[in-house]
Structures are given as structure tokens and as C-alpha cells.
Amino acid sequence: MRTLREIPALREALGDARRRGERIALVPTMGNLHDGHLALVAAARERAEVVIATIFVNPLQFGAGEDLEAYPRTLEEDQARLEAAGCDLLFAPDTTTVYPRGLAAQTRIVVPEVTDGLCGASRPGHFDGVSTVVGMLFNLVQPDLACFGEKDYQQLAVIRRMVADLHFPIEIVGVPIVRAEDGLALSSRNGYLSPEQRAIAPRLYATLCELREGLESGSAPSALLEQGRTRLEAAGFEPDYLELRAADLGPVTTVTREAVLLAAARLGTTRLIDNLTLTLPR
Ligand code: AMP
């Protein structure tokens, strides 16, 4: 696997592949790779001749007071994992390569509507940073397809909307959430948890599972969601949101069948997110 740091080298490597008529799959990440990221690489590997991962801790998607400085940077381990997973190329640029004029002067992509509420409400500007960097990576790499995790459910919806609205000729592949044995969704941020918090963390997924059971057997959402919040608080979480939305993130109506439960909650200073899709009864 070759690691590329600069845009001309990236373009050259990909130009060769494109001239050979090879399909290119992109896996954008912020590094500190775990089995969730590697599932994206595996999905990419199945679908394309050339798999390119990117590692870039994108300052544009971090708000003031978020963990940009503390975010784990583990390039050597990440390179070994990507290589073992069959990744062909890694693009790991510096911030000045991506944003040579600085963050304030950067042209941005703003996706409306689907960014409203949920993480969009608690992390203002976050999705503008995500769509801007992903749109830029799409232009740099010009992949045939790109793989994203369903763990970041709203992010995946934002990317799909951006691709549709800007007519990117790129197939977006959503990859199911990879979880630890106890149900906790794998995340680079799990490393911030103390042993005590790590023991509590699986309650987030457990609570979503309990709510799904209730919803699928016809209980009223509002009362159930209230109970869910109370349960999270009792376990030691500080819930940010716990919501039921239609699968496309629109509001749930009487005709909604495919739905998704989405949660974000803090354990101490660590913010965890998770979600679970379900089918509402008629
Ligand atoms: P990140 O490095 O956290 O920005 O994540 C990079 C990509 O990996 C995103 O598309 C995430 O949705 C995806 N991802 C992160 N954690 C998981 C997981 N546990 N299962 C599946 N995909 C994941």
C-alpha cells in the first residue's frame, strides 16, 4: 500500500488506475482505525479494483470546545491495518494541503434540511465541515463509489443528499454498524472512556433495542422515548437526543413504516452516538 501526502501524487496514482479502466472505491476516515472502518474497506474491496482510504482529522467539522486537539492520531498502526485489509492507496494530507487558504477563507458545501436537528442541532457547522471535505475528496479522487458507515446515520443521509443535489456520479454504499461483543458501536471516541464508563456504554445500544421492541409491538413512541431518556440518565448518561425518525430522517407520520431510532449521549465528556432501524407496525 502506498501512502500519499500530496495532491499531485494522488492524481498521478489515480490517473494510472483510471486509464487502466479500473473501478475506484473511496473510504474517507479520520484515522485511529478499528474494525468498523475495516468493514468499509472490505465493502470497497468487494466492489472495486482500486481501494483508496483517506485519513484526515478535518478541523472544519470540529466545533469550538470539541476534541480536535485530543483526537487520536495513530498513522503507523492505521497503515498496517489498511495494508492487512487489502487497501491499495492511503491519502493522508496535512491540513495546509487541504485548506491552503485557511479555514475561514474556505469555500464550503452546505446541505440544507437533512442537517436540521439531531447532530446538526448539537454540533452547529459540523455537517458543513463534513460535506465540504467529502465533496473535496470526491473531486480529488473521482471514485466510482464511496463507502460510509451507518453508525453516522445522519452523516450518511447528508452525503447521499449532497451527491444527489450536486450530481456527483458516485455510488454511495452504506455499511452496517460494527459493534463490540457487548453491543457498543465501535468508535474512535470509545478510547476516551474510563473503565467504569466503558462498562456503562453498552446501555446506549441496549436502550435502543428495548425501545425498538416496544415500538415494533405497537407502543406509543412519545411515552417510550421518555422512558428511554430516563433509563439512559439512570445509567449515568447525559442524553443529547433520543428520537424516532422516518428512515429518510423525515418526521414519523401515520404511514411511516421504515424508521430509525437515533441517540446521542454523553458519558462524562465523551459523546457517543448510535442508531437502530426498525419497522413500525401498521
Ligand atoms: P470516522 O473516522 O469516525 O470519521 O469514521 C469514518 C467512517 O467510518 C464513517 O463513514 C463512519 O460512519 C464509519 N464508521 C465509524 N465507526 C463505525 C462502525 N462502528 N461501524 C461501521 N462504520 C463505522
Side-chain angles (χ1 to χ4, degrees):
M1 185 187 75
R2 284 173 66 200
T3 298
L4 309 165
R5 294 284 202 170
E6 306 292 340
I7 289 170
L10 172 73
R11 289 215 155 108
E12 200 184 308
L14 293 169
D16 291 346
R18 215 169 282 117
R19 275 188 291 280
R20 289 193 295 268
E22 296 173 344
R23 264 171 82 76
I24 299 170
L26 170 67
V27 179
T29 81
M30 297 204 300
N32 193 232
L33 303 181
H34 51 61
D35 287 349
H37 298 109
L38 299 184
L40 305 187
V41 174
R45 188 72 284 166
E46 277 172 20
R47 292 166 170 83
E49 281 83 39
V50 179
V51 175
I52 171 163
T54 63
I55 294 181
F56 179 58
V57 182
N58 175 28
L60 207 58
Q61 72 188 66
F62 285 75
E66 291 189 350
D67 56 344
L68 174 62
E69 302 305 328
Y71 200 85
R73 288 154 171 94
T74 53
L75 184 64
E76 277 184 26
E77 290 94 321
D78 293 347
Q79 285 170 314
R81 284 198 184 149
L82 288 171
E83 175 118 46
C87 186
D88 300 300
L89 294 169
L90 168 63
F91 181 51
D94 285 337
T95 303
T96 49
T97 300
V98 177
Y99 302 121
R101 275 169 290 280
L103 299 187
Q106 176 62 39
T107 299
R108 292 165 199 236
I109 298 175
V110 178
V111 179
E113 294 176 348
V114 71
T115 49
D116 291 344
L118 305 170
C119 289
S122 35
R123 304 185 68 189
H126 168 67
F127 286 121
D128 298 351
V130 170
S131 46
T132 298
V133 80
V134 172
M136 186 190 301
L137 290 172
F138 284 177
N139 274 329
L140 289 171
V141 173
Q142 299 184 16
D144 297 279
L145 63 112
C147 299
F148 293 85
E150 289 172 358
K151 175 177 165 268
D152 299 272
Y153 194 95
Q154 190 177 18
Q155 168 174 285
L156 179 55
V158 170
I159 303 294
R160 287 192 195 284
R161 180 67 61 83
M162 173 183 78
V163 162
D165 285 356
L166 299 182
H167 304 282
F168 279 110
I170 299 172
E171 178 196 348
I172 301 302
V173 177
V175 177
I177 301 176
V178 178
R179 299 180 179 281
E181 266 183 27
D182 58 13
L184 177 65
L186 298 189
S187 165
S188 304
R189 291 192 167 100
N190 293 349
Y192 298 150
L193 300 171
S194 69
E196 295 74 27
Q197 291 169 332
R198 178 62 189 79
I200 296 168
R203 289 301 309 160
L204 185 59
Y205 176 61
T207 303
L208 292 179
C209 290
E210 288 158 16
L211 293 177
R212 174 165 73 177
E213 213 179 298
L215 290 163
E216 290 196 326
S217 55
S219 302
S222 53
L224 267 182
L225 291 169
E226 200 41 56
Q227 281 171 26
R229 263 191 105 87
T230 309
R231 264 180 238 167
L232 288 176
E233 280 164 359
F237 288 94
E238 204 184 299
D240 178 359
Y241 61 77
L242 176 60
E243 284 194 39
L244 179 69
R245 297 267 191 117
D248 65 0
L249 292 184
V252 172
T253 69
T254 49
V255 296
T256 303
R257 293 292 163 262
E258 300 313 314
V260 58
L261 274 165
L262 305 116
R266 272 174 215 285
L267 271 178
T269 54
T270 305
R271 186 172 178 277
L272 301 178
I273 61 170
D274 204 344
N275 67 81
L276 202 54
T277 53
L278 62 140
T279 307
L280 294 172
R282 280 179 198 284

